[in-house]
Amino acid sequence: MTGYLTTHVLDTAQGSPAADLPITLYRIDGDSRHQLAQMNTNADGRTDSPILPQDQFTPGTYELVFDAGAYLRASGQAGDQAGDQASAEPLFLDQVPIRFGISDAEAHYHVPLLLSPFGYSTYRGS
């Protein structure tokens, strides 16, 4: 097998990579969720290594959980409205789960997150 999984997080509100954002990867088996990896993004908003490397890569259902709340709090974006730096709890976005399927055991799957305090988007990247 040659497949692997990567991610990249961009802060669209600040126009920069989202550094030091905690990410957890789970494999989904029916109603069960099994943690496979946990790491933080680097200064470029990426992980230093594939979040699911080649030797662990198998088809199935997975979930990446991005701890957006930790990042937004640390970057001063936890206000209750745009431009408000005061802390608002609970945050509009805190944990951002993205569940996806891997069907090709030899492909590179890239699941980026475009993040702001009040919205996000994702897609299958390259």
Side-chain angles (χ1 to χ4, degrees), residues 13 15 20 41 50 58 70 100 114:
D20 204 31
T41 56
T58 59
F100 57 96
L114 305 177

Side-chain angles (χ1 to χ4, degrees), residues 1-2 6 8 12 14 25 28 31 39 46 60 65 67 73-74 76-77 80 85 92 102 106 110 112 115 118-119 126:
M1 282 193 249
T2 59
T6 58
H8 187 198
T12 59
Q14 295 194 45
L25 174 68
I28 307 301
D31 291 336
M39 52 185 69
R46 301 174 186 273
V65 178
D67 192 349
R73 288 178 186 95
Q77 298 183 72
D80 60 2
Q85 296 302 309
F92 180 70
I102 290 176
E106 300 200 15
H110 183 67
L115 177 66
F118 301 103
S126 58

